[in-house]
């Protein structure tokens, strides 16, 4: 664990004299040796210094830290290259700032992070630790001033930070002032009281674009990151429903892991970031969050919550409503702001903490997407969530999603059909529980379309998902891809542009855009989008396959062959190599690649066989393969309407009959 912090008078060690001013020292544990001279100086000057070395075994860390921070007369923060990256140090410095008792010191010349730079920083990098040194005197003056003490005789005048400026909105609002009742849930009426009082308002940009960054896991156990990541993802899922907010997609939010948070925000084209940290044990949690305006680093709102773990649902609502209101209320009237809060209410959730935790673990495995093993592990977690709460609609929707993913890698057509039947049932259950759940409609649409080739029935659910999640990039990407397979290609092109705007750092976004452009016969655009996708993820499946398609249609068989050889999906690589070699007149290679496609994949590659035969001019053979693919429920048939590889047989009436069936 990166931290460190103080205890509370009377809770650990001997109680200090009542008259002794207390100092809470916030620092990074890696800086302990450089912090010791500061501790010794302050203790030698009569201060009661609380730091993590005072904690005793068995103490409640969270409660002790909270009490010490609230009781201290002064909060001294030791900024360094390490501590500026610590959410614990930032949280504690934030509380000192809120209380007007912060003294910022720099151990190594590092500047304070954005949000704290309006405070005068005392650089003690050159201090030897000698209490008789001039820097030691300046430290004592700064601490005494903030602690409400007069300077000792002979000490220099105070050189310290000003009081927190009034222009920094929201920081004077304590969590206690914002909480209603024991659960701590902020209601809409209470939030509007805060807004009208001006505590959440502020100057700056009128834009209401934002990104929810993954919350830092401060449990000390990397295997528990699913909880902190899950909490931030759930917050994003709620906020994205607000029609007055533009929320960057989660994949782009983590694509620049390790970069400066403000740089991430700028690359995403947003003006606000919501960041935070999570510390938890088996029964309690501490969640810290702050909403920061990137331009100028103004902290618009910040809060730290210590709650029972069972309050996580109320806490998510509280944070999401407060964040949304602090942004939306700047640009619209009260009724519209209230309406936006109503629109973002979470749907399809649970109030069972065990079910919720299983859902988060499942979603972490889903996000990992490392193959069939993680897909099955995710399914197991969603099944556990449903067992704990059979009415958990979101868990049923994700169960459907995982069953469909496993079906796509099934060894036999029979196994795949059985899995898709289960996926349809799970999605239908999700929708029966909560018809407003976009993921339920997406899951049902996908299973109907890919598992049973029932495009017309799937269309109903994709359109419903589009209506329910107009600001969710992942949902819109799936809908745009579905539209690109049919007659709605113009709509798909418009929608994918919106997806790129919301999720500009996601390789899958550009891969989907590449397919949309390919089916729209924009071959240069298809190549450009896939190249952008490959810049983000060099091993991305299908990207080189689309480039090979586009090169062929541009008449560049040499370029198509090179792209085909780079495609990591063997089935696609064999298909495009066979076609490109045929175009180049290399009959032996073309025949060899086609023979290998037949030998390795057989009836599992009926659609790909049709592509090869169509490009060879063997129209009757191509149509026969397509008829067999349709009868087998081959999901490759979804591409048939707009696939340029089938253009040589486009006028065949038998193909027209198949396309009519696909549209029904």
């Amino acid at each position: 664990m990166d931290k460190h912090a103080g205890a509370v008078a009377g809770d650990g060690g001997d109680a200090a004299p009542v008259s002794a001013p207390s100092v809470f020292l916030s620092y990074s544990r890696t800086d302990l040796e450089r912090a010791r001279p500061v501790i010794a100086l302050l203790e030698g000057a009569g201060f009661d210094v609380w730091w993590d070395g005072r904690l005793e075994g068995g103490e409640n860390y969270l409660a002790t830290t909270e009490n010490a921070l609230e009781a201290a007369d002064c909060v001294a923060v030791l900024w360094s290259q390490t501590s500026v990256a610590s959410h614990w140090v930032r949280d504690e410095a934030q509380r000192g700032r809120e209380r007007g008792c912060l003294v910022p010191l720099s151990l190594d010349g590092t500047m304070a992070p954005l949000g704290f730079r309006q405070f005068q920083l005392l650089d003690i990098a050159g201090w030897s630790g000698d209490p008789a040194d001039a820097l030691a005197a300046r430290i004592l003056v700064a601490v005494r001033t903030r602690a409400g003490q007069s300077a000792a005789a002979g000490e220099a005048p105070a050189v310290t930070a000003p009081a927190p400026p009034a222009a920094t909105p929201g920081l004077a609002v304590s969590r206690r002032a914002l909480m209603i009742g024991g659960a701590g849930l902020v209601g809409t009426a209470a939030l509007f009281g805060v807004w009208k009082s001006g505590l959440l308002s502020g100057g700056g940009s009128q834009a209401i674009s934002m990104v929810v960054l993954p919350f830092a896991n401060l449990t000390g156990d990397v295997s528990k990151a699913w909880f902190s990541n899950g909490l931030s993802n759930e917050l994003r899922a709620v906020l994205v429903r607000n029609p007055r907010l533009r929320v960057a997609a989660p994949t782009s939010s983590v694509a620049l892991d390790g970069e400066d948070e403000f740089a991430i925000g700028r690359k995403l084209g947003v003006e606000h970031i919501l960041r935070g940290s999570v510390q938890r044990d088996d029964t309690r949690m501490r969640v810290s969050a702050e909403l920061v305006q990137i331009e100028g680093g103004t902290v618009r709102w910040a809060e730290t919550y210590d709650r029972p773990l069972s309050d996580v649902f109320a806490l998510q609502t509280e944070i999401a409503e407060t964040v949304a209101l602090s942004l939306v209320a700047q640009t619209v009237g009260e009724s519209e702001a209230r309406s936006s809060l109503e629109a973002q209410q979470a749907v399809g959730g649970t109030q069972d903490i065990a079910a919720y935790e299983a859902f988060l673990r499942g979603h972490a495995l889903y996000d990992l997407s490392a193959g069939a093993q993680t897909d099955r592990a995710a399914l197991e977690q969603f099944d556990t969530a449903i067992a704990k709460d059979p009415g958990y609609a979101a868990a049923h929707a994700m169960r459907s999603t995982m069953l469909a993913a496993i079906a796509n890698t099934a060894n036999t057509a029979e196994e795949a059909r059985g899995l898709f039947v289960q996926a349809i049932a799970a999605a239908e259950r999700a929708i029966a529980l909560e018809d407003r759940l976009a993921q339920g409609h997406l899951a049902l649409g996908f299973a109907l379309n890919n598992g049973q080739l029932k495009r017309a029935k799937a269309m109903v659910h994709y359109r419903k998902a589009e209506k329910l999640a107009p600001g969710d990039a992942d949902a819109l990407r799936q809908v745009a891809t579905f539209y690109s397979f049919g007659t709605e290609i113009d709509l798909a092109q418009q929608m994918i542009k919106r997806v790129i705007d919301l999720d500009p750092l996601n390789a899958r976004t550009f891969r989907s855009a590449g397919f949309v452009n390919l089916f729209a016969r924009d071959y240069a655009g298809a190549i450009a989008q896939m190249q952008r996708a490959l810049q983000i993820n060099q091993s991305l499946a299908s990207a080189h396959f689309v480039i090979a398609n586009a090169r062929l249609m541009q008449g560049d068989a040499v370029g198509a062959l090179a792209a085909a050889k780079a495609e990591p999906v063997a089935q696609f690589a064999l298909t495009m190599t066979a076609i490109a070699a045929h175009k180049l007149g290399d009959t032996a290679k073309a025949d060899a690649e086609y023979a290998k496609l037949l030998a390795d994949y057989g009836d599992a590659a009926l659609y790909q066989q049709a592509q090869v035969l169509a490009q060879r001019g063997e129209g009757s053979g191509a149509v026969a393969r397509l008829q067999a693919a349709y009868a087998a429920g081959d999901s490759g048939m979804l591409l048939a309407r707009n696939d340029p590889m089938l253009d040589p047989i486009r006028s065949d009436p038998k193909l027209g009959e198949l396309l009519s069936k696909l549209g029904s």
Side-chain angles (χ1 to χ4, degrees):
M1 196 163 62
D2 186 36
K3 262 274 352 172
H4 69 278
V8 62
D11 282 353
D14 297 328
V18 174
S19 59
S22 59
V23 178
F24 181 100
L25 191 69
S26 181
Y27 68 102
S28 173
R29 185 177 290 278
T30 57
D31 295 326
L32 176 59
E33 292 308 311
R34 288 187 290 180
R36 289 188 186 280
V38 178
I39 296 169
L41 173 68
L42 295 174
E43 289 181 337
F47 290 99
D48 183 16
V49 182
W50 294 99
W51 57 293
D52 65 346
R54 298 285 295 272
L55 287 169
E56 295 184 351
E59 284 191 275
N60 185 318
Y61 181 86
L62 293 177
T64 299
T65 301
E66 170 79 7
N67 291 337
L69 193 58
E70 296 298 327
D73 296 305
C74 172
V75 176
V77 59
L78 304 183
W79 294 121
S80 69
Q81 287 186 342
T82 303
S83 67
V84 293
S86 167
H87 286 274
W88 275 108
V89 176
R90 289 190 184 216
D91 288 347
E92 291 160 358
Q94 178 64 39
R95 190 59 187 137
R97 172 182 175 169
E98 292 172 358
R99 296 182 55 226
C101 61
L102 180 66
V103 173
L105 309 173
S106 177
L107 290 174
D108 55 9
T110 296
M111 291 181 64
L114 288 174
F116 295 94
R117 292 180 184 175
Q118 67 270 54
F119 292 80
Q120 186 172 339
L121 182 69
L122 181 56
D123 186 351
I124 62 171
W127 181 42
S128 65
D130 183 354
D133 190 276
L135 270 175
R138 295 181 66 189
I139 294 170
L140 292 174
V141 169
V143 172
R144 285 194 173 109
T145 301
R146 275 292 173 226
Q149 300 285 310
S150 301
E155 287 181 343
V159 180
T160 187
T168 304
L171 296 179
V173 185
S174 74
R175 54 184 166 277
R176 294 175 181 81
L178 286 174
M179 284 165 26
I180 298 177
L185 175 62
V186 172
T188 304
L191 285 170
F192 269 95
V194 174
W195 166 51
K196 288 179 177 178
S197 71
L199 295 175
L200 291 178
S201 64
S205 172
Q206 295 298 303
I208 49 178
S209 59
M210 66 176 297
V211 58
V212 181
L213 296 176
F215 280 22
N217 169 31
L218 300 183
T219 63
D221 182 354
V222 294
S223 68
K224 297 292 179 60
W226 56 267
F227 186 82
S228 54
N229 288 339
L231 180 60
S232 54
N233 283 339
E234 290 293 288
L235 282 170
R236 189 205 68 86
V238 171
L239 289 166
V240 79
R241 292 172 58 86
N242 191 310
R244 293 287 178 177
L245 298 177
R246 182 174 71 84
V247 185
T251 305
S252 284
S253 303
V254 301
L256 298 174
D257 187 32
E259 285 204 31
D260 176 78
E261 293 167 337
F262 289 82
I264 293 174
R266 292 187 183 98
K267 288 186 178 181
L268 291 174
V270 300
E271 295 202 2
H272 304 87
I273 60 175
L274 176 64
R275 62 189 179 189
S277 61
V278 178
Q279 169 88 346
R280 59 158 290 184
D281 54 27
D282 291 338
T283 60
R284 295 194 64 81
M285 60 181 172
R286 163 181 274 197
V287 177
S288 296
E290 63 178 4
L291 179 67
V292 184
Q293 185 172 315
I294 294 174
E295 186 64 33
T298 301
V299 178
R300 303 187 59 81
W301 166 84
E303 198 53 82
T304 298
Y305 306 85
D306 286 323
R307 300 284 178 81
L309 197 58
S310 58
D311 277 359
V312 65
F313 312 112
L315 180 57
Q316 285 177 179
T317 301
E318 180 173 340
I319 294 175
E321 288 190 348
T322 306
V323 167
L325 191 61
S326 68
L327 294 175
V328 175
Q330 300 176 80
T331 58
V332 299
E334 177 174 339
S335 62
E336 290 184 66
R338 186 187 301 275
S339 176
S340 76
L341 290 183
E342 293 172 355
Q344 76 175 33
Q345 295 305 305
V347 295
T350 183
Q351 292 298 311
D352 186 296
I353 189 65
Y356 176 74
E357 290 191 331
F359 180 86
L360 294 186
R361 285 192 291 267
H363 223 292
L365 290 163
Y366 164 73
D367 290 337
L368 185 60
S369 189
Q373 185 175 358
T374 55
D375 286 346
R376 291 185 181 277
L379 176 62
E380 183 178 348
Q381 291 298 327
F382 294 127
D383 283 342
T384 298
I386 293 168
K388 296 291 184 182
D389 181 1
Y392 196 170
H396 286 281
M398 289 307 300
R399 181 174 192 271
S400 174
T401 300
M402 301 321 302
L403 286 165
I406 296 168
N408 281 334
T409 61
N411 294 324
T412 67
E414 183 179 359
E415 180 188 1
R417 281 195 293 270
L419 288 165
F420 273 119
V421 168
Q422 293 182 61
I424 290 170
E428 288 176 337
R429 178 58 179 156
I431 293 171
L433 289 166
E434 179 51 81
D435 188 56
R436 297 172 297 168
L437 184 64
Q439 184 58 42
H441 289 282
L442 288 170
L444 183 52
F446 183 87
L448 287 169
N449 195 47
N450 288 59
Q452 298 184 350
L453 303 182
K454 294 180 178 178
R455 179 174 176 81
K457 290 185 177 180
M459 175 72 77
V460 174
H461 297 286
Y462 276 107
R463 284 181 172 169
K464 186 69 175 287
E466 178 188 354
K467 182 178 179 181
L468 289 169
D472 189 318
D474 193 53
L476 295 179
R477 180 177 57 80
Q478 294 178 61
V479 177
T481 300
F482 173 79
Y483 284 161
S484 73
F485 295 157
T487 59
E488 305 84 3
I489 192 69
D490 291 340
L491 182 58
Q493 289 180 293
Q494 296 172 21
M495 190 172 292
I496 204 66
K497 291 179 181 178
R498 170 69 171 156
V499 175
I500 292 172
D501 181 50
L502 289 169
D503 203 3
L505 304 176
N506 185 352
R508 290 182 300 174
T509 293
F510 295 107
R511 179 172 62 186
S512 294
F515 271 107
V516 170
N517 284 342
L518 178 69
F519 296 147
R521 303 301 196 270
D522 177 5
Y523 302 122
I527 292 169
Q529 297 290 16
M530 287 306 185
Q531 288 175 335
R532 293 180 70 182
L534 289 166
Q535 287 174 356
I536 299 171
N537 181 357
Q538 295 180 355
S539 60
L540 188 69
S542 304
H544 290 289
F545 170 73
V546 169
I547 292 174
N549 270 265
R551 296 285 190 208
L552 278 172
M553 300 311 294
Q554 290 177 325
D556 181 8
V558 173
L561 184 61
K565 290 180 179 179
E567 172 56 47
V569 180
Q571 188 174 348
F572 297 159
L574 288 169
T575 301
M576 298 313 299
T577 301
I579 296 173
H582 175 78
K583 297 293 184 184
L584 291 170
D586 190 345
T587 304
K589 184 173 182 61
D591 289 345
E593 294 295 298
Y594 184 60
K596 185 170 177 57
L597 178 67
L598 293 174
D600 290 354
Y601 296 98
D603 287 351
L606 287 169
Y607 184 81
Q608 286 73 29
Q609 294 169 36
Q611 289 178 309
V612 174
L613 294 175
Q615 287 295 310
R616 284 185 174 188
E618 300 177 28
S620 59
V623 170
R625 295 300 196 284
L626 291 176
Q627 289 172 326
Y630 179 80
D634 187 336
S635 60
M637 287 298 297
L638 299 173
L639 311 181
R641 181 176 298 278
N642 297 321
D643 184 357
M645 292 295 101
L646 299 186
D647 283 355
I649 60 171
R650 192 64 61 187
S651 61
D652 192 305
K654 292 180 180 179
L655 175 59
E657 291 175 9
L658 287 174
L659 295 179
S660 296
K661 292 179 181 179
L662 284 170
S664 62

